Amino acid sequence: MDALSDARVLTDPDVIDSYARDRTFLEPGKPLGVVLAASRDDVVTTMRWATEHRVPVVPRGGGTGLAGASVAGDGSLILSLARMTAIRELSPADEIAVVEPGVITADLDKAARAHGLMYAPDPSSYEISTIGGNLATNAGGLRCVKYGVTRDSALGLEVVLADGRVLNTGRRTMKGVTGYDLTGLFVGSEGTLGVITAATVRLRRAPATPPATFAADFSSLRDAGAAVSAIMAAGCQPSLMELLDRATLAAIDEWRNIGLEPTTQAMLIGQSDAADSQAAVERMERICTENGASFVAVSSSPQEADELIGLRRLAYGAKERQGACLVEDVCVPRSALAEMIGRIEAAAARHGVRIATVAHAGDGNLHPVFIFEHGTLEPPPEVWAAADQVFKDALELGGTLTGEHGVGLLKQRWLALEAGPVAHELQRGIKGVFDPLGLLNPGKAI
């Protein structure tokens, strides 16, 4: 590793341990060390050394993952990309940016807005998560109902392969179908095929006027789900549509005293960033009322809009205060959203566990959070049993095991329920082409 230029190599066990974890409860193994890469060349050198010495490598961004994809195993080398923070280029004319993997998601958006543009993907951890991590898991976020997930904004990548070779995929143009879509293949691959060292991403025009926002209270989750379906069917095109259940709202209320009403079982938070955003939100307000909303508040200023969205962003922190969390993210067809919420509640009652759910309701992506006692090394059997039921229910309704967090380590036990033997064989074959020695993030994703 003497060839590393500006990188630092950490070997202190206590320091290594802080890089070996993500936001899950999973306990890491005992890695050999940490490389703090400062450039693509540092990554190339690291991968060449790892290949020569047959050492597994665990790529890492901000460590905000919720599936265990960046949890390090025994004898591995952690490759941190957090110091690679350059925005190499931002082109207002082409509406693209070229960024390194350590760039914080919110920082890219802020840089784009200085030119009247925005970076659309906005996971709830946008202020601490990195672009590299977003790419690795194909992260979604609150605006995905209108703008799609990270893959929809990824045009091209610079990737260091397992043996140290550098691969450039994709393009700078909005269109391009030359060869197979290698960019799409790497996005969501959880660091198992290569290490992303730069990305060309699509920027979009920022709204000309501040978005308008509403928050609606419902005494029934099914009514809230029906309102979501009606809003989407009416062609309102919200830029955000989030659903919070009673358990989530109670956790937020306990923390921040939001004045939760005893009859409120769900809250729907929606936003429009269209040119006629206020009219669009007022239309959504009427639809909520027609579908049983007991109260609807519409923002009258950007500050009020931020306050309403801020409620949603408090959700995970509020749950962490109540206990250790197993965070999942099943996705079902939008028409099955209300049914899936009901099944989650049934699983909680059947197994006697606490589940608090939020949803990117506009695209059917639900985040049931299983809360158990602080200090427990891993979820107790009844939590795993409830999670097993939730996953089976999601698949039965035509859904998927994960909408945006990835498989990592946490979902390995359920992977076979969705991916059949043919898909499993092909995915292992793809892994073998890019990483024949199996050194890149072994045991994750597939």
Side-chain angles (χ1 to χ4, degrees), residues 124-179:
S124 295
S125 58
Y126 75 115
E127 293 179 320
I128 54 175
S129 65
T130 62
I131 295 295
N134 295 170
L135 290 162
T137 60
N138 193 24
L142 277 61
R143 289 194 292 252
C144 57
V145 61
K146 181 174 181 178
Y147 296 105
V149 293
T150 298
R151 184 179 283 119
D152 298 304
S153 292
L155 298 175
L157 301 173
E158 175 187 272
V159 183
V160 177
L161 299 177
D163 59 6
R165 288 179 296 164
V166 177
L167 169 69
N168 289 287
T169 76
R171 61 208 185 277
R172 294 170 59 92
T173 56
M174 293 297 113
K175 298 165 63 178
V177 292
T178 305

Side-chain angles (χ1 to χ4, degrees), residues 298-333:
V298 176
S299 64
S300 59
S301 68
Q303 181 181 359
E304 285 187 2
D306 289 343
E307 289 173 355
L308 292 176
I309 299 301
L311 283 176
R312 169 60 179 87
R313 297 198 186 276
L314 289 172
Y316 184 58
K319 294 166 192 175
E320 282 188 312
R321 290 169 54 86
Q322 295 193 333
C325 295
L326 170 63
V327 185
E328 294 304 346
D329 74 315
V330 297
C331 194
V332 297

Side-chain angles (χ1 to χ4, degrees), residues 349-370:
R350 183 180 306 119
H351 297 282
V353 301
R354 296 170 62 198
I355 306 178
T357 302
V358 298
H360 304 309
D363 58 11
N365 189 186
L366 302 101
H367 295 304
V369 177
F370 302 76

Side-chain angles (χ1 to χ4, degrees), residues 256-420:
R256 294 295 180 90
N257 189 24
I258 60 174
L260 180 63
E261 294 293 334
T263 57
T264 299
Q265 294 300 312
M267 179 182 288
L268 186 63
I269 300 175
Q271 187 176 79
S272 171
D273 64 2
D276 60 343
S277 60
Q278 198 66 36
V281 161
E282 288 172 0
R283 187 182 181 196
M284 288 187 266
E285 174 191 15
R286 289 194 297 273
I287 292 173
C288 287
T289 301
E290 291 166 1
N291 282 272
S294 56
F295 175 77
V296 186
V298 176
S299 64
S300 59
S301 68
Q303 181 181 359
E304 285 187 2
D306 289 343
E307 289 173 355
L308 292 176
I309 299 301
L311 283 176
R312 169 60 179 87
R313 297 198 186 276
L314 289 172
Y316 184 58
K319 294 166 192 175
E320 282 188 312
R321 290 169 54 86
Q322 295 193 333
C325 295
L326 170 63
V327 185
E328 294 304 346
D329 74 315
V330 297
C331 194
V332 297
R334 198 164 52 218
S335 59
L337 178 69
E339 173 68 20
M340 188 64 215
I341 291 172
R343 293 198 184 196
I344 291 171
E345 290 185 319
R350 183 180 306 119
H351 297 282
V353 301
R354 296 170 62 198
I355 306 178
T357 302
V358 298
H360 304 309
D363 58 11
N365 189 186
L366 302 101
H367 295 304
V369 177
F370 302 76
I371 304 173
F372 52 99
E373 187 176 352
H374 275 305
T376 307
L377 292 180
E378 71 166 69
E382 60 270 22
V383 168
W384 287 123
D388 183 66
Q389 186 61 55
V390 166
F391 285 125
K392 289 177 178 177
D393 284 341
L395 293 174
E396 185 178 308
L397 292 173
T400 179
L401 297 173
T402 175
E404 57 187 7
H405 292 171
V407 173
L409 290 172
L410 277 181
K411 294 190 179 72
Q412 288 289 332
R413 63 176 69 197
W414 296 288
L415 196 56
L417 295 175
E418 181 173 345

